[in-house]
Amino acid sequence: MSTDHDHHRFATHSCHFMDAYHKGLNGKQAAWAAKKFRGHQVLPMTIMQDLNKAMVN
């Protein structure tokens, strides 16, 4: 049985991936960003710099 909390987590996770793809990230980068910024609705504008610092390709 799912709860409202589960639905919210899924929605937030989905928003991360949609925002990441919109910003030009690939799947591996999107997964890294979704994990790193899990408490945020969207990814920061500095995401590409964050990826470069973490060396995620």
Side-chain angles (χ1 to χ4, degrees), residues 6-17:
D6 292 334
H7 290 160
H8 185 263
R9 270 190 14 212
F10 177 78
T12 301
H13 195 71
S14 297
C15 284
H16 283 159
F17 274 89

